[in-house]
Amino acid sequence: MTKKTIYLLIGILLCSCQKELSSERIDGDLCLYMNCLIGNAGDKEIDVRAAYPLKSQGKASIMFEPSDICLTLNQSPLDLRLPESDLYGTGSIFTFDTEINPGDEIVVEAKKSGFPCVTAATRVPRPVKLISATVKNILSGYIEMEIIFEEDEEGHYGILFNDFEISEAPGIVSAESYDMIIPDSILGKSVQLWNRNKEKREGKKVTVRTYVDIDRINLPKSLDISILSLSPEAYGYLKGKYINRNINPATIGMATPTFSYSNVIGGIGVIGSWWATKGVLHNPFI
């Protein structure tokens, strides 16, 4: 076989592999979306909609009724209420008043004609026993603090400043990977999440040394804080928000990949839970 024949065969193969490219966006098939992060503070709401998996902000205008949703707490069904309208006028946001406790098992199922049934579950995490929370150093760009607590089970944790807004300490987060600041957290304020690999453990006792940027000028002698215990689902959801918020398009070319955590079987969204333990962060420098 001559070289000319070989080149001709290669050319034929390449031409046969050509396919017309389309710039149309692919958003996936319409499916059911559920979102609910339940804790011991704030509203207890479940958002159920029809949505496209890959279309940001895209929700279809399909209304749901309480009979379409089944929420069980420790295998006992709960009554859901449907407000007159949700914030966007599409889909449905359901509320319930039943008190929840650590260790409770929550299962949510949703069904609608034309869609597969979807389901998701979470177990409310157990609270920590806060031993101490102390400011260890006040530097020009941030404060260093030490949190010591006891846990009954391995989990994911974070700290919420009830009266102060926090942000990432300059140059610290990149060096101490996965110390995440989520500006719009599940409690409406910025929350810092910790990477379990950075924690020092002695039995049930956990010690965390971490850093935040905060208003150091007006820092009082004591600050009201909450230590958040997060279910794996709630942690995955918040970590996804952090990753998406901090993607740098300049380093990844034309398209911006996104990380979307979901534990909804048959659909998309997150059903997660958390528990807040109130405490005080002491500042010995005043």
Side-chain angles (χ1 to χ4, degrees):
M1 183 179 293
T2 65
K3 288 186 177 180
K4 183 180 292 186
T5 304
I6 294 175
Y7 292 149
L8 179 61
L9 290 174
I10 292 174
I12 294 172
L13 290 173
L14 291 175
C15 291
S16 65
C17 292
Q18 287 183 349
K19 182 178 180 180
E20 183 178 352
L21 298 179
S22 172
S23 61
E24 292 183 2
R25 177 171 175 156
I26 301 175
D27 294 320
D29 296 329
L30 193 64
C31 63
L32 294 187
Y33 160 90
M34 299 195 301
N35 186 63
C36 178
L37 293 175
I38 305 173
N40 60 329
D43 297 330
K44 298 182 179 67
E45 296 181 341
I46 302 177
D47 187 1
V48 181
R49 303 169 185 269
Y52 295 97
L54 303 180
K55 187 175 181 181
S56 64
Q57 308 294 330
K59 304 290 188 297
S61 299
I62 299 177
M63 298 301 296
F64 290 78
E65 300 295 334
S67 58
D68 298 323
I69 316 300
C70 178
L71 184 149
T72 60
L73 180 67
N74 300 324
Q75 301 183 349
S76 297
L78 302 183
D79 293 329
L80 297 173
R81 299 193 311 274
L82 177 63
E84 294 182 1
S85 63
D86 63 31
L87 294 176
Y88 305 101
T90 61
S92 296
I93 296 180
F94 301 89
T95 62
F96 62 97
D97 297 324
T98 306
E99 181 180 351
I100 63 170
N101 296 287
D104 283 349
E105 295 283 349
I106 299 172
V107 179
V108 183
E109 296 181 352
K111 62 182 187 299
K112 194 69 176 177
S113 177
F115 296 92
C117 180
V118 298
T119 183
T122 185
R123 184 173 65 85
V124 181
R126 300 196 178 278
V128 301
K129 178 182 178 182
L130 182 61
I131 298 174
S132 65
T134 309
V135 174
K136 288 297 184 180
N137 205 355
I138 299 180
L139 303 172
S140 59
Y142 52 85
I143 67 169
E144 179 184 8
M145 56 189 176
E146 181 182 73
I147 313 295
I148 303 176
F149 59 89
E150 288 186 355
E151 62 176 3
D152 288 331
E153 59 188 10
E154 289 192 358
H156 300 285
Y157 305 102
I159 182 171
L160 179 80
F161 288 78
N162 297 326
D163 299 321
F164 278 75
E165 280 297 326
I166 59 173
S167 58
E168 292 178 352
I172 294 296
V173 174
S174 59
E176 307 284 336
S177 61
Y178 294 115
D179 231 351
M180 297 175 282
I181 303 290
I182 314 296
D184 46 349
S185 75
I186 50 183
L187 289 180
K189 285 186 175 291
S190 299
V191 61
Q192 184 190 53
L193 305 185
W194 303 317
N195 178 18
R196 287 191 58 83
N197 295 328
K198 291 175 55 182
E199 300 168 349
K200 179 182 178 182
R201 297 175 177 275
E202 298 177 3
K204 293 184 176 182
K205 184 179 177 181
V206 180
T207 301
V208 178
R209 278 288 186 106
T210 189
Y211 315 83
V212 295
D213 188 2
I214 198 171
D215 182 2
R216 296 170 300 284
I217 297 177
N218 298 312
L219 201 63
K221 188 173 181 63
S222 61
L223 295 84
D224 291 334
I225 61 172
S226 293
I227 304 299
L228 297 182
S229 305
L230 302 164
S231 71
E233 304 83 23
Y235 177 83
Y237 168 76
L238 292 176
K239 180 178 178 180
K241 291 186 67 173
Y242 173 82
I243 293 174
N244 292 335
R245 184 182 298 274
N246 288 275
I247 285 175
N248 183 1
T251 64
I252 53 180
M254 294 175 60
T256 303
T258 58
F259 172 87
S260 298
Y261 175 88
S262 175
N263 68 324
V264 177
I265 300 173
I268 56 174
V270 174
I271 302 296
S273 53
W274 52 271
W275 196 269
T277 301
K278 293 184 178 181
V280 175
L281 176 68
H282 297 283
N283 176 18
F285 296 94
I286 293 181

